[in-house]
Amino acid sequence: MSSGKGRQQAGGPRWTQTWLSGAGAAGADLGRPGARLGLPDSGSGAVASYGRRLVALFIDWALSMLVASLLARGLGWEADGRSLATLAVFGVQAWVLTALLGVTIGKRLCGIRVMRLDGRPLVGLGWGLARAVLLLFVLPALFWDRDYRGLHDRAANTVVVNI
């Protein structure tokens, strides 16, 4: 059996490196995140990193769990009620705080905010609700474009940026 080493060209990449590493490894110039949107390279207004977004999400989820557990304890709910309450608290927090302030508690602690691309100062209740509902489905948040915008951001015409 062949190990595939004979197919490698001298000095060239292995055949797996051209597709496992993404379009950039194949020579496609994807630009930097936010360049197509006219956002700066770094600092305030630059596209927020994956790491900051993830930490903000974990903070928001932990706070939602805390609020839901306090509600469950006060109202005598069972475990299944607490899980649903956590999801509901997270959804309401993501909707109301993002729509009215542009930040959730986790986003504020991580130094990021949600910004409309059309220049309006607030996301708004309607677009905030659409964004929050899609975020609750989880899947839209897992698919990103080159500007680090998930499907929930694209649907609401928003981007997450550094404060």
Side-chain angles (χ1 to χ4, degrees):
M1 260 204 212
S2 174
S3 65
K5 291 182 182 178
R7 289 183 288 197
Q8 183 178 352
Q9 296 175 351
R14 294 179 54 192
W15 67 274
T16 55
Q17 290 174 330
T18 59
W19 62 274
L20 285 178
S21 298
D29 181 21
L30 300 177
R32 63 166 180 77
R36 295 183 307 161
L37 305 174
L39 300 175
D41 289 344
S42 60
S44 181
V47 174
S49 68
Y50 291 131
R52 281 183 162 190
R53 291 175 185 211
L54 222 71
V55 170
L57 177 69
F58 287 140
I59 291 170
D60 288 338
W61 189 257
L63 290 172
S64 299
M65 287 175 60
L66 177 66
V67 170
S69 68
L70 292 174
L71 283 173
R73 183 174 294 169
L75 299 174
W77 292 343
E78 296 297 321
D80 58 342
R82 280 182 287 204
S83 297
L84 189 57
T86 300
L87 188 64
V89 169
F90 178 80
V92 169
Q93 172 193 234
W95 171 41
V96 173
L97 293 178
T98 300
L100 299 179
L101 302 175
V103 294
T104 61
I105 296 168
K107 282 183 176 63
R108 183 67 183 125
L109 291 174
C110 291
I112 58 178
R113 69 182 175 95
V114 179
M115 179 181 87
R116 292 272 312 234
L117 289 176
D118 60 8
R120 293 185 186 175
L122 298 175
V123 175
L125 290 173
W127 289 117
L129 179 61
R131 189 178 187 281
V133 167
L134 286 171
L135 186 60
L136 290 177
F137 285 123
V138 178
L139 211 50
L142 296 177
F143 294 101
W144 301 73
D145 64 9
R146 72 176 79 171
D147 297 313
Y148 297 172
R149 295 173 64 210
L151 294 178
H152 61 299
D153 283 320
R154 293 178 64 87
N157 197 30
T158 59
V159 64
V160 181
V161 297
N162 296 328
I163 294 178

